[in-house]
Amino acid sequence: MRRGAERDERLATLEEALGYRFRDRGLLHRALVHRSYFHESGEEPASNEPLEFLGDAVLGFLVAERILRRRDDLDEGGMTRLRAALVNTRSLAREARSLGLGEYLLLGKGEDRSGGRRKPTILADTFEAVVGAIYLDGGIRPVRSLVRRLFGKKIDSLPGPEARSGDPKTRLQEWLQGKGLPLPVYRVIDARGPDHDREYTVEVLVEGKPVASGTGSAIKRAEQAAAEAALEILEGKGGE
């Protein structure tokens, strides 16, 4: 009973950050369960992955809707690029950090020790899962309100050049080309889990040297995560 009360108190704090109070807090709890936690504890719910799947679709739709309504200066290609610049791992992880989602994540001990609460892929996936939970609990209106609050100003004001590409692999390629460097090379360095729940780790190399790595449930997703991590490292060095 005490454990449940403590959980509800923590979730109530998160609800304040989200600007939405759940009718069924069990949905919010599920949105915060990473599969590593379930694999170690065996406690239900299994993971937030089904909610992540739903949230990805809902978020993409609502961001596209606002772009259509607010950015009549863009053609279809420009709208697509703007949506990609906003709905990607790096952007969603940034929004997750702004909400403090990392503090509420339920992770396995190993994932927690390895810095899982700070990993962009985990944060982005959790953000999408929370969006899915809000949609199931309250419908489209509260999610639209959240999208307007978190993405509204960016959608309304982000200039075309800044939104040139939201795809991390493309952005990394463009960054390297701008520095006169060769294209990156990606290689799979690890694959774990059964076929139905595979997790890949991909390393990205620049000039033959490893720069960063990323994980994902598919090789392409792992490549995007690796490119995202490489961009953060390279841009953080100021291109040196």
Side-chain angles (χ1 to χ4, degrees), residues 187-229:
R187 66 182 181 190
V188 178
I189 58 174
D190 194 20
R192 298 183 180 183
D195 291 341
H196 67 278
D197 190 22
R198 205 76 161 159
E199 183 173 79
Y200 298 90
T201 300
V202 168
E203 189 174 56
V204 57
L205 299 90
V206 176
E207 294 186 301
K209 298 178 181 179
V211 176
S213 63
T215 59
S217 55
I219 292 176
K220 288 185 177 180
R221 294 191 71 173
E223 288 177 345
Q224 297 285 11
E228 194 77 64

Side-chain angles (χ1 to χ4, degrees), residues 21-22 29 48 60 62 67-69 72 86 99 103 106 114 126 140 153 165 174-176 184 220:
R21 184 170 297 279
F22 278 78
H29 173 70
N48 61 7
L62 288 175
I67 290 172
L68 179 65
R69 293 181 183 277
D72 57 6
L86 295 170
L99 295 168
E103 301 174 21
L106 292 172
S114 68
T126 304
I140 201 74
K153 290 183 178 179
S165 173
E174 291 174 348
W175 191 94
L176 292 171
K220 288 185 177 180

Side-chain angles (χ1 to χ4, degrees), residues 5-6 26 29 46 69 79 91 109 113 128 132 149 155 161 177 180 186 208:
E6 290 176 353
H29 173 70
R69 293 181 183 277
M79 291 181 180
S91 172
K109 293 179 180 178
R113 284 195 298 267
E128 290 177 336
R149 178 160 64 90
I155 290 172
Q177 288 176 325
Y186 298 88

Side-chain angles (χ1 to χ4, degrees), residues 56-120:
D56 176 57
V58 173
L59 186 62
F61 163 70
L62 288 175
V63 169
E65 178 191 54
R66 186 170 181 91
I67 290 172
L68 179 65
R69 293 181 183 277
R70 306 284 296 191
R71 294 304 298 270
D72 57 6
D73 58 310
L74 299 175
D75 59 15
E76 182 181 354
M79 291 181 180
T80 299
R81 289 189 292 273
L82 178 55
R83 180 180 60 184
L86 295 170
V87 185
N88 63 69
T89 298
R90 187 180 189 182
S91 172
L92 299 187
R94 183 166 53 243
E95 300 305 335
R97 292 188 194 100
S98 75
L99 295 168
L101 289 187
E103 301 174 21
Y104 300 92
L105 270 168
L106 292 172
L107 297 171
K109 293 179 180 178
E111 187 66 69
D112 202 0
R113 284 195 298 267
S114 68
R117 296 181 189 279
R118 299 185 300 275
K119 290 181 180 178

